[in-house]
Amino acid sequence: MRASERLAWAAGIVAPGDTDRVLEVGCGHGVLVSLLAARTARGQVVAVDRSATMTTAAQRRNTDAVAQGRVRLVTSTLLGADLGTTPFDVVTSFDVRAFWTPPAPEWDVVRRVLAPGGRVVVAFSVMGPGADERIRTAVRRLAGERGFTEHAVHRAGDLSTPSAAIELRAGHDG
């Protein structure tokens, strides 16, 4: 199955390095996991989804990468996930409302697992006029309460479903 254009766009924004550890929150069917794993030949993608149905689908899609240890799937909420002790270079999500819906304790987990100098990319579909700015404002506020600042905003209005991504970094570099 071909990756959706918006997830391919998001993978390009996340743009992990060859050895990066990436955490994807809300991995769904594992499409973005596949795209990210292809870019991290010597790194690892850890993907979390609260639905066993979704992580099973992601497992099927990424069988080889899982067998090679380049992808690890976790069926859990982010708050309950065992993410180990090795920090992540990048944390990303696509259309995970928890990152812009108060009280958003997920940001506390992200803060804890992100490596010094790491990045967070929160991507989302722009489903109507003004949605982009509303979500961006909410993400900035909720992430800002945990010490993150907006580093860049990316927009893809030319996709079949317009999308945006907010890139954040920890205020004191980690």
Side-chain angles (χ1 to χ4, degrees):
M1 175 190 288
R2 197 168 142 278
S4 75
E5 62 182 356
R6 67 191 182 110
L7 293 178
W9 170 81
I13 299 302
V14 174
D18 191 47
T19 60
D20 281 352
R21 286 195 81 232
V22 180
L23 172 62
E24 185 193 354
V25 181
C27 70
H29 290 96
V31 176
L32 185 55
V33 172
S34 297
L35 296 168
L36 296 172
R39 292 172 176 252
T40 59
R42 295 188 320 263
Q44 184 183 45
V45 177
V46 176
V48 176
D49 200 292
R50 64 184 178 189
S51 167
T53 301
M54 292 295 102
T55 54
T56 298
Q59 167 78 32
R60 279 193 303 268
R61 178 181 297 277
N62 293 282
T63 300
D64 290 342
V66 170
Q68 295 165 8
R70 293 187 312 104
V71 167
R72 182 166 74 92
L73 297 157
V74 179
T75 303
S76 175
T77 64
L78 180 59
L79 298 177
D82 177 3
L83 300 173
T85 58
T86 305
F88 293 91
D89 301 292
V90 184
V91 176
T92 191
S93 66
F94 201 113
D95 283 340
V96 177
R97 293 179 183 270
F99 287 108
W100 60 84
T101 305
E106 291 77 8
W107 282 108
D108 297 321
V109 176
V110 171
R111 183 78 174 137
R112 180 175 47 80
V113 302
L114 191 66
R119 302 178 297 124
V120 181
V121 178
V122 177
F124 54 93
S125 302
V126 179
M127 300 305 286
D132 181 355
E133 194 54 39
R134 280 192 306 276
I135 292 171
R136 181 177 169 208
T137 298
V139 167
R140 265 196 327 251
R141 183 176 62 77
L142 293 165
E145 291 171 359
R146 277 70 171 204
F148 290 95
T149 57
E150 184 178 274
H151 179 73
V153 177
H154 309 273
R155 291 183 177 86
D158 58 342
L159 302 177
S160 58
T161 302
S163 300
I166 302 163
E167 186 174 342
L168 305 113
R169 296 181 192 249
H172 56 79
D173 239 17

